[in-house]
């Protein structure tokens, strides 16, 4: 045995479970009076945030909930959601944040599959939740969030959240964290192909990814983070814990409303935000008289879908500094970041934003990300044109899919997580996603990236939003079909859009058909390409 292994064992002095809950405990000790959470008229300091989280933890303990139990929550970005992100893991339980746009049948499936023992639910969602609850085989503890800012709904649980907090306020919670590999949260993927899969996160990964965000976005105790990203989406890409680690201020927000967002930006002098490209587009295209700026450009992280470079430019023009992140539910949200190089500011704006629209390099807290051939697991040449699948490995990849060993095994085949995204790697090592494997168009045997066509469409002055999908074609197999929302009705004709694309790309890549109208979206701001594919297939 090496001398470095003798009498140098792990102990509680030098080896403890990494858990993001420790960030809140520390913030409450170090900056107890710092403003931690703002929601409407409500204000909580870090001391109070920690106290309320401990009260929730004790109240759950008192109802027999502890290590290994699942607690679901159906909520928007409110203080209760932040408290649950600390209270539930503190007692070793697992937080299952539900996507608020899901239907009753899917919610019931998730509550059954995740074996939730309790559900904390915002009154606004009582119609769909009451419908889901009747479908469950076993009753569970239901606690209502009775937020004054909620729009309608009714209380349907055993008691409201504030009353629940008081039920065990005098007892300390039973700390349930002993191993950093323990599950901390359960998040379901969208399930566009069958039942959704439950991604299980561990404490260690949540801790690391939160610190990765802190470094990447430069969060500090002077940060004022506006919650334009749903906290139920990958635990808010782990910013729920990252902002607390930095001891910054969480500015809650129930829904993406441009007027309110700009009002809050000005009122609180916001420093940081995250959002899907669709949210950015909505802000950039809102009436100019709504626009307000903070005292400095706002650091804005975008991801969840490819941001067209035109959208990045539009946001920069109205006071935001955009950072492009890429990730999936399986990777706690952000896994790669497009780190700007020193010479980029000197490039022409279009060239620079095209560089920024690449997905970039692996996060500081991830070990590796590479484009590989899925069959051989060999890396593709860094030539910007050889297409392969993006593979990821490191400590911020989920434990696996809940009760689905087969899906877990195939996702982790060959020692890498298979993202299902196709892309290329540039000479500088930067990754660029071309498409999801299921979205890429194969026309006359050639691969066509729908993101590449969308990138051009977003530059057309009449186009507000665009998505491209495959349309079955007898001659070519498939052809690109564009769905476009115009800024003004009659702003452009189908032929004008097609000609615009043909002038800017190889002709076989240009859309053959253009359909005008609004685009169906998911609650996380993604365009539902499967729905558009069905529409495209049905076109006369
Ligand atoms: P869902 O499957 O419900 O969309 P995820 O949030 O896990 O759930 O989606 C992850 C997917 O989103 C990725 O596999 C990728 O296709 C897409 N995506 C995320 N970020 C980016 C990005 N920056 N650029 C391009 N695609 C992205």
């Amino acid at each position: 045995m090496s001398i470095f292994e003798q009498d140098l064992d792990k102990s509680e002095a030098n080896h403890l479970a990494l858990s993001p809950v420790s960030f809140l405990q520390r913030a409450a000790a170090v900056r107890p009076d710092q403003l931690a959470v703002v929601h409407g008229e409500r204000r909580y300091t870090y001391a109070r945030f920690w106290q309320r989280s401990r009260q929730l933890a004790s109240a759950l303990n008192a109802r027999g909930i502890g290590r290994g139990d699942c607690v679901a929550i159906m909520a928007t970005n409110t203080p209760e959601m932040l408290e649950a992100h600390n209270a539930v893991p503190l007692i070793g339980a697992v937080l299952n944040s539900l996507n608020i746009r899901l239907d009753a049948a899917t919610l019931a499936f998730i509550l059954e599959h995740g074996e939730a023992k309790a559900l904390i639910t915002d009154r606004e969602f009582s119609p769909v939740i009451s419908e889901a609850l009747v479908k469950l085989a076993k009753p569970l503890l239901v606690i209502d969030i009775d937020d004054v800012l909620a729009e309608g709904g009714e209380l349907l649980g055993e008691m409201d959240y504030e009353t629940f907090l008081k039920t065990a306020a005098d007892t300390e919670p039973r700390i349930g964290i002993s191993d950093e590999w323990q599950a901390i949260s359960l998040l379901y993927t969208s399930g566009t192909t069958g039942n959704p899969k439950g991604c299980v996160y561990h404490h260690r990964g949540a801790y690391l990814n939160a610190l990765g965000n802190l470094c990447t976005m430069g969060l500090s105790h002077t940060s004022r983070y506006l919650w334009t990203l749903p906290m139920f989406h990958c635990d808010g890409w782990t910013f729920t814990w990252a902002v607390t680690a930095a001891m910054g201020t969480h500015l809650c927000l129930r829904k993406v409303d441009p007027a309110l967002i700009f009002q809050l930006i000005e009122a609180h002098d916001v420093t940081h935000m995250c959002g899907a490209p669709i949210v950015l587009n909505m802000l950039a295209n809102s009436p100019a008289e709504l626009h307000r700026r903070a005292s400095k450009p706002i650091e804005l992280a975008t991801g969840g879908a490819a941001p067209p470079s035109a959208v990045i430019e539009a946001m920069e023009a109205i006071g935001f500094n955009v950072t492009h992140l890429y990730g999936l539910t399986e990777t706690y949200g952000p896994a790669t970041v497009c780190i700007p190089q020193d010479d980029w500011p000197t490039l022409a704006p279009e060239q620079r934003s095209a560089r920024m629209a690449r997905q970039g390099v692996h996060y500081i807290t991830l070990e590796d990300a590479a484009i590989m051939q899925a069959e051989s697991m060999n890396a593709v040449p860094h030539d910007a044109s050889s297409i392969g699948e993006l593979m990821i490995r490191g400590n911020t990849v989920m434990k696996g899919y809940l009760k689905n060993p087969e899906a877990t095994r195939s996702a982790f085949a060959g020692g890498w997580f298979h993202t299902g995204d196709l892309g290329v790697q540039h000479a500088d090592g930067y990754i660029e996603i071309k498409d999801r494997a299921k979205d890429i168009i194969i026309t006359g045997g050639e691969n066509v990236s729908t993101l590449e066509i969308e990138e051009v469409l977003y530059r057309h002055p009449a186009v507000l939003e665009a998505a491209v999908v495959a349309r079955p074609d007898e001659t070519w197999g498939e052809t690109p079909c564009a769905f476009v929302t115009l800024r003004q009705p009659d702003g452009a004709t189908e032929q004008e859009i097609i000609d615009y694309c043909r002038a800017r790309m190889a002709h076989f890549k240009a859309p053959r058909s253009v359909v005008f109208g609004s685009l169906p979206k998911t609650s996380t701001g993604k365009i539902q390409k499967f729905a558009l594919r069905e529409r495209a297939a049905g076109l006369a």
Side-chain angles (χ1 to χ4, degrees), residues 259-332:
L260 179 59
I261 290 171
F262 283 114
Q263 230 173 309
L264 291 169
I265 283 176
E266 187 174 49
H268 295 281
D269 199 13
V270 167
T271 60
H272 292 81
M273 286 167 49
C274 294
I278 283 288
V279 172
L280 274 50
N281 208 31
M282 196 194 277
L283 292 175
N285 288 297
S286 60
E289 62 268 22
L290 293 180
H291 296 180
R292 301 279 181 280
R293 286 178 187 244
S295 61
K296 292 203 194 99
I298 296 173
E299 294 299 330
L300 170 64
T302 192
S309 58
V311 173
I312 296 180
E313 281 168 39
M315 287 308 280
E316 298 216 322
I318 59 168
F320 294 84
N321 229 343
V322 180
T323 299
H324 178 193
L325 309 177
Y326 158 94
L328 316 84
T329 306
E330 285 86 340
T331 62
Y332 301 68

Side-chain angles (χ1 to χ4, degrees), residues 47-278:
R48 189 88 177 97
F49 179 15
W50 178 225
Q51 183 194 31
R52 285 173 57 85
S53 302
R54 286 201 329 274
Q55 285 177 350
L56 174 59
S58 302
L60 289 166
N61 274 162
R63 298 302 294 263
I65 293 167
R67 189 170 169 154
D69 292 329
C70 178
V71 176
I73 184 160
M74 179 82 164
T76 56
N77 297 341
T78 61
E80 295 77 11
M81 188 64 156
L82 287 168
E83 287 155 13
H85 270 82
N86 292 286
V88 173
L90 180 67
I91 57 173
V94 179
L95 185 67
N96 176 209
S97 300
L98 302 169
N99 182 328
I100 58 170
R101 302 280 164 74
L102 293 177
D103 56 49
T106 312
L107 289 166
F109 167 83
I110 291 174
L111 290 170
E112 293 270 10
H113 189 258
E115 301 179 25
K117 293 260 168 52
L119 169 67
I120 301 170
T121 181
D122 188 287
R123 62 176 302 152
E124 196 167 309
F125 311 113
S126 60
V128 70
I129 287 293
S130 50
E131 212 187 305
L133 290 177
V134 296
K135 295 181 194 289
L136 298 182
K138 274 196 288 186
L140 75 179
L141 171 66
V142 178
I143 303 297
D144 292 294
I145 302 172
D146 189 10
D147 185 4
V148 290
L149 298 178
E151 284 175 18
E154 57 188 38
L155 305 185
L156 39 81
E158 197 174 303
M159 63 182 97
D160 74 80
Y161 185 90
E162 295 302 321
T163 311
F164 187 59
L165 288 192
K166 295 189 189 103
T167 54
D170 302 333
T171 37
E172 277 300 312
R174 285 193 299 282
I175 310 298
I177 311 163
S178 57
D179 179 350
E180 61 193 19
W181 185 246
Q182 256 173 260
I184 186 167
S185 64
L186 169 65
L187 291 146
Y188 283 80
T189 59
S190 64
T192 48
T193 51
N195 276 330
K197 294 196 285 267
C199 300
V200 180
Y201 291 4
H202 47 78
H203 282 252
R204 173 185 173 82
Y207 179 98
L208 290 170
N209 214 57
L211 291 184
N213 289 336
L214 192 152
C215 295
T216 304
M217 295 307 296
L219 294 166
S220 78
H221 73 277
T222 59
S223 300
R224 289 169 300 277
Y225 179 92
L226 180 60
W227 270 104
T228 41
L229 175 82
M231 292 186 201
F232 65 73
H233 195 203
C234 313
D235 292 316
W237 299 352
T238 70
F239 277 88
T240 42
W241 297 299
V243 175
T244 301
M247 302 186 272
T249 302
H250 294 268
L251 303 166
C252 293
L253 182 75
R254 286 188 69 96
K255 64 170 186 233
V256 173
D257 165 3
L260 179 59
I261 290 171
F262 283 114
Q263 230 173 309
L264 291 169
I265 283 176
E266 187 174 49
H268 295 281
D269 199 13
V270 167
T271 60
H272 292 81
M273 286 167 49
C274 294
I278 283 288

